[in-house]
Amino acid sequence: MSIQEETASVCWKSPSNIALVKYWGKRGEQLPANPSISFTLDQATTETNFKVGPKTEGSGISLDFLFENQKNPIFEEKLMPFLEKASRDFAWLNDLHIEISSSNTFPHSSGIASSASAYSAMALCLCSLHEKITGEKLEDFFSTASYWARIGSGSACRSVYGGYNLWGSTPFLEGSSDQVAVNIDHLVHHNFKDFSDTILIIEKGKKAVSSTAGHALLKQHPFAGTRYHLAAENTGKLLNILKAGDLDGFIHLVEAEALMLHALMMTSPTPFILMKPNTLAVLEKIKDFRNQTGLHLLFTLDAGANVHLLNPESEDAKIQEFVKNELIGFCQNQTYFCNHIGKGPELK
Ligand code: PMV
């Protein structure tokens, strides 16, 4: 059978991840300005069905894209340049008609970043289809998926594995690379193996600064050099903290990273304040609660107003009670999502 007659389909479900040391600033083709470390979530996922079949029209990519079962021209237009790039390695993308159908387990405009789960699912589908169509086994399947997920959205490269992942070249980890993420679970102390991430939705809707614009802000940022230096240093420190099981060190470093991300935004040539009054109120509450109870509750933030509450799973019961009694009132429509560390993507 010739490639033009080929029909094949594949479906991957892939999770989002939360960064502990943040990736913020890039160079070249989506290469990170500094290394970053994250853990993969279990509940916030994207499921992507990728089908290819005979193509009738002329040259170039031929795509139909459905998001949550509806045609979505905006997403389709965003996806085209990615698929064009991917055709460098997956030449069959140009020869077949493509039908992609994607849906999230969390509401699209909830403020939870979906690009990590979306592009990791997409990249995994590309790799699986490549093996099906060409009959060739990829030398390192997940590393190739991580590479292509990165081209789609930097942080997505950390979502092709479960547990803890590091992306970006660092002298503190042999085998680390700017091109792909590597899994670091084998280094992590059992104190960090079961962690929870409760995402408090302080504000729904589109982000005030897209991550593309946010990364670009660093290009002319007076503190960019210092940030890259500190992030590189924090990567080494966090690796040691994760190895040692040092919960207090973890709290201190992860919160400082989140605040530095927001401080960068506030001090960029075009400044942005992404926290809302309720974000700050929650951060204060967390600090007080920690001081009063001695429990290991901490926060991290993405480039937005929502708050990620992190804690060891063993402390879930008391912390969920605190969320329900004290924090829910700060969430828009009392919305929050509970996640734990996840095992990574699943082939459906
Ligand atoms: O992958 P991007 O381009 O959406 O960037 C993500 C940036 C942060 O979420 C703020 C930090 C990170 O490392 O995930």
Side-chain angles (χ1 to χ4, degrees):
M1 193 158 74
S2 79
I3 179 116
Q4 285 85 353
E5 292 160 1
E6 200 80 50
T7 300
S9 72
V10 70
C11 179
W12 276 95
K13 182 173 170 179
S14 192
S16 189
N17 67 75
I18 180 68
L20 306 167
V21 172
K22 308 288 179 182
Y23 149 60
W24 202 236
K26 57 179 158 184
R27 61 192 169 79
E29 194 181 31
Q30 202 94 287
L31 295 168
N34 62 262
S36 56
I37 298 180
S38 62
F39 69 70
T40 297
L41 305 182
D42 64 346
Q43 299 298 324
T45 61
T46 299
E47 191 166 310
T48 297
N49 249 291
F50 201 127
K51 264 193 215 163
V52 287
K55 180 175 155 186
T56 45
E57 304 133 52
S59 62
I61 305 244
S62 153
L63 171 67
D64 279 324
F65 182 78
L66 297 183
F67 181 67
E68 325 250 83
N69 292 321
Q70 306 226 315
K71 197 131 174 71
N72 193 314
I74 296 170
F75 285 2
E76 192 172 300
E77 204 179 296
K78 275 194 182 169
L79 198 55
M80 280 303 255
F82 169 73
L83 292 175
E84 272 154 18
K85 283 182 196 158
S87 68
R88 294 196 306 242
D89 275 9
F90 307 115
W92 45 266
L93 283 169
N94 282 316
D95 302 324
L96 295 163
H97 178 66
I98 303 162
E99 273 175 48
I100 299 174
S101 169
S102 196
S103 52
N104 292 341
T105 49
F106 50 93
H108 173 63
S109 56
S110 62
I112 299 182
S114 57
S115 64
S117 52
Y119 278 105
S120 56
M122 193 74 69
L124 287 157
C125 287
L126 285 173
C127 291
S128 287
L129 276 176
H130 186 75
E131 290 194 337
K132 275 194 179 181
I133 292 169
T134 63
E136 284 167 23
K137 278 257 156 264
L138 287 166
E139 207 171 295
D140 191 336
F141 184 92
F142 286 98
S143 198
T144 309
S146 182
Y147 178 95
W148 281 106
R150 168 178 66 80
I151 301 293
S153 174
S155 58
C157 75
R158 298 185 310 239
S159 271
V160 304
Y161 305 107
Y164 289 80
N165 296 294
L166 181 149
W167 168 39
S169 176
T170 165
F172 302 109
L173 186 75
E174 219 185 297
S176 58
S177 158
D178 283 346
Q179 304 287 335
V180 293
V182 290
N183 184 262
I184 54 167
D185 258 356
H186 56 289
L187 301 173
V188 174
H189 190 277
H190 64 79
N191 281 356
F192 292 112
K193 290 283 180 189
D194 298 310
F195 241 71
S196 305
D197 176 4
T198 308
I199 310 170
L200 304 183
I201 306 301
I202 304 293
E203 189 187 55
K204 288 186 192 176
K206 222 169 151 260
K207 290 194 273 182
V209 192
S210 71
S211 44
T212 311
H215 292 292
L217 287 178
L218 274 246
K219 291 238 151 73
Q220 288 146 35
H221 200 296
F223 304 149
T226 309
R227 163 62 192 159
Y228 300 149
H229 173 76
L230 291 175
E233 216 173 71
N234 278 348
T235 301
K237 284 187 185 164
L238 184 58
L239 277 171
N240 287 336
I241 286 169
L242 291 172
K243 284 179 197 165
D246 174 7
L247 281 163
D248 291 334
F250 185 79
I251 293 171
H252 185 77
L253 188 145
V254 172
E255 290 192 346
E257 268 291 317
L259 293 176
M260 205 188 317
L261 175 73
H262 280 252
L264 283 168
M265 230 95 62
M266 290 186 212
T267 52
S268 64
T270 313
F272 290 97
I273 302 175
L274 300 180
M275 288 189 212
K276 295 287 171 195
N278 280 358
T279 312
L280 279 174
V282 167
L283 302 196
E284 286 289 326
K285 285 258 174 200
I286 292 170
K287 201 169 150 196
D288 291 347
F289 176 79
R290 192 162 66 220
N291 288 341
Q292 282 159 20
T293 62
L295 292 172
H296 300 95
L297 176 65
L298 65 140
F299 68 83
T300 186
L301 306 162
D302 266 343
N306 298 334
V307 182
H308 290 248
L309 301 179
L310 310 183
N311 63 273
E313 209 178 303
S314 55
E315 297 178 2
D316 265 2
K318 284 187 184 133
I319 283 161
Q320 287 305 317
E321 202 183 301
F322 168 62
V323 170
K324 282 190 196 116
N325 294 339
E326 305 262 347
L327 301 184
I328 205 171
F330 296 105
C331 301
Q332 193 169 0
N333 301 333
Q334 309 204 334
T335 308
Y336 65 100
F337 298 99
C338 298
N339 278 268
H340 291 104
I341 292 188
K343 292 189 169 52
E346 260 177 72
L347 181 63
K348 302 299 282 183

